[in-house]
Amino acid sequence: MTLISCKTCNAQIAKEAKACPQCGATNGEAYTAVRFAGLIYLALLAGLFYWLWGVFTPS
């Protein structure tokens, strides 16, 4: 378990913690995986839309 400093109160918190248990400030580093997964999901939706556009557009 890696510890980092809270940006608000400088308390030592786990890197995976969503919020600081001492002051309640959110931890931006915990959301990195969620942001990455969201970008992948958005890219897949864009690819699906592009494919469907090609299928339903008459040539």
Side-chain angles (χ1 to χ4, degrees), residues 5-20:
S5 294
C6 174
K7 291 180 177 144
T8 305
C9 67
N10 291 327
Q12 293 294 312
I13 61 172
K15 188 174 182 179
E16 296 84 21
K18 302 273 185 207
C20 175

Side-chain angles (χ1 to χ4, degrees), residues 4-48:
I4 59 171
S5 294
C6 174
K7 291 180 177 144
T8 305
C9 67
N10 291 327
Q12 293 294 312
I13 61 172
K15 188 174 182 179
E16 296 84 21
K18 302 273 185 207
C20 175
Q22 191 168 6
C23 68
T26 58
N27 180 12
E29 291 188 31
Y31 293 101
T32 304
V34 175
R35 290 181 192 139
F36 185 69
L39 287 175
I40 291 174
Y41 180 69
L42 190 61
L44 287 173
L45 282 176
L48 178 65

